[in-house]
Amino acid sequence: MQLLPLLLLTFLALKSEAAQILGLFQHPGKSHFDFFRPMFLALAERGHNISMYSYFPLEKPVANYTDYAFQGMPLLTDMVDLKAFETEWKPLGLPFKVPTFFMINDWALKSCEVAFESPLIVQLLESPIRYDVIILEHFVNDCMAALAHLLKAPVIALSSCAIMPWHYQRMGSPVINPIMPMNFLPYTDDMGLIDRLNNFFHFHVVNALYHLITEPATDGLISRRFGEGLPPIHEIVKNTSLMLINQYYALTGPRPYATNVVEVGGLQVGPEKLLPKHLLELIERSPNGIIYISWGSMVNANTLPSAKRKALFQSISQLNEYNFIMRWKTDNDSSQLEDKPSNLYTFDWLPQRDLLCHPQVKAFISHGGLLGTTEAVHCGVPMLITPFYGDQFLNAGAVEQRRFGIIVDFRDFDTEHITRGLRIILDKGFADNVRHSTEAFRHRPIPPLDLAVWWIEHVIQSGGAPLVQSPARHINWIVRNSIDVFFLSLGILLMFLVSLWKLTRLIGRVVAFGSKSKKQKQQ
Ligand SMILES: *[C@@H]1O[C@H](CO)[C@@H](O)[C@H](O)[C@H]1NC(C)=O
Ligand SMILES: *[C@@H]1O[C@H](CO)[C@@H](O)[C@H](O)[C@H]1NC(C)=O
Ligand SMILES: *[C@@H]1O[C@H](CO)[C@@H](O)[C@H](O)[C@H]1NC(C)=O
C-alpha cells in the first residue's frame, strides 16, 4: 500500500499543462449531454480551460468552464408521445427500423442549420484563442466537424450510445456483422440466420442512407455557411483522433474496436450523494423496498395509452408490499393520475443515480435508455425494460442476454406481463445473479472517467495521438476486405491449375508418343 502515494505523486507530476479545450455540441438531447458533461467537469477541475458551446449550460457555474448556450431548438425532454409506439409494422414478423434513421436525420439536420446561424459561431471564428483540442459529438450529423476543421485543432468525438454504422470506417475500426447488432435492433451477439440477415440489411442500408442523404445535405449546409473550398465532410471526419464511447463489454458485449475507439461506459455514474429527505422518509416507510419507474427524460408519461396506464396501475396495486416511485411530469391536466394506486408516488424529477444505488430499491421499470441502464447495472438493480425507440432495443437485448433484467414489449404491456415480469426479477435468485454480474461491470483497471481524461490529455500532449491513427480509415472497401488480394490469389491458383493440367497432358502425350514409337520400332 506504500506504493499508492508514490503512484499518485508520479501521476500528478505528469499532469499536463492547462490546455484550451473547446466543446461543440449542437444536438439538443439531454440524455446525450449528461454523458458528456462529467468529462468536461473533470477536465476543468484539473485546471484546463473549457469553452462549452451547447444547449445545456451549467446550473451553477464552476471555475475554468465557460458556457455559451445555443438557442433555437426545443430541448428534447418530455416530448416523446408513447401512443406512436402502440402499432409497430413488423414485415414477416421481423423488426424493421429503417424509419428511425429518417427521424434522427431530420432532427440532426435541423439542429445543424440552427447552430450555423448562431452568432456564437461568428464569435468563435473571430476569437483569438487557439484551442489545443476540440471535443464534439459523433451521432448523426457531423456539421460541427467542419467548424473544427476551420479552427485547426485535433478533434475528439464522443458517442453517448453504441457507435453508428458510418463511424467504423472513419475510425478505421473493424466490423463483424454477425456479432455486432445494428443500433436500432433488439438483437445481441447471438443471432440466428434470419436475424443476421435482418441485421446485415439494417447495417448496410442505414449506412448507405447516411452516405447518400446525410453527407450531401451536410456538405450543402457547410458550403452555404463557410463557402466552397472545404474538404467533403466524409474526409474531414477521418481526422478524428479519438472516439470515447458509452459502451462497456461487461454490459454491451466484447467488440473489436480500433485502438483509438475507447469504451468508457458508466463514466457518468459518479460518487454517491445523499438522497433528499422526502425520499429517505418514503424509503423508511417501505420495509419491503421500493420499485423505481422511469422512462427517461424524453418520454412524456402523460401520453401512456389509458389501457396500458390502467394495466400498470393494476400491477402496482397487486404488488402492494412494495412502494413505487415514478418520474411522471404532470402537465396542466393531472386527471391521468386520479386513479393511481396508493402505493405509487410520482415526482417531476428524481435523483436517479442515488435512488438506484439505495439498497432498498429492489427493481427498476425502465425504457432501456443507456444512462439509466448503466446506472442500474452499476448499482445492481434488476430491470424490467420496455424499449420504445432508438438504441433502447439494443440496450434491452444486452440486458436480457446478460440477465440484468427482462424485456416486456410495449405490445404486451398488460397487467399479466408486468406483474409476472416483476415477480421474476424480484425473485431472490435473479436479484443475487444481478448483484454478482454488477461486480464484472465495476471491476476495472482504471475508473472510466479517469480513463477518458487520460485519453483526452494524451491527445492534447501528443498533438492528435498520431500513433493510434489506423490507416484502415483511408483504404477503400475492396482493399479493406482484401477482395483484390482474394481475386489475385484465385487468379494465381487458377493459372497454376491450368498450367498443371496442360503439363500433365503434355507429359501424357509425350509418354503416349514414346510408347507408340517403341511399339512401332518393335513391329
Ligand atoms: C481551475 O484551474 C486552476 C489552474 O488553472 C486550478 O488550480 C483550479 O483548481 C481550477 N479550479 C477548479 C474549481 O477546478
Ligand atoms: C478561458 O476561455 C475563455 C473563453 O471561453 C477565455 O475568455 C478565457 O480568457 C480563458 N482563460 C484562460 C486562463 O485561458
Ligand atoms: C487534419 O488535421 C490536420 C491537423 O490537425 C490538418 O492539418 C489537416 O488539414 C486536416 N485534414 C482534414 C481533411 O481535415
Side-chain angles (χ1 to χ4, degrees), residues 20 49-51 66 68 129:
Q20 300 289 351
N49 191 31
I50 312 292
S51 306
T66 315
Y68 301 90
I129 301 181

Side-chain angles (χ1 to χ4, degrees), residues 188-203:
T188 65
D189 51 17
D190 183 15
M191 288 178 256
L193 177 62
I194 300 299
D195 293 348
R196 282 193 284 120
L197 185 72
N198 197 28
N199 183 46
F200 189 88
F201 167 82
H202 274 80
F203 189 96

Side-chain angles (χ1 to χ4, degrees), residues 18 44-45 47 63-64:
E45 211 167 283
N64 308 337

Side-chain angles (χ1 to χ4, degrees), residues 18 44-48 62-64:
E45 211 167 283
R46 284 171 66 77
H48 301 298
V62 301
N64 308 337

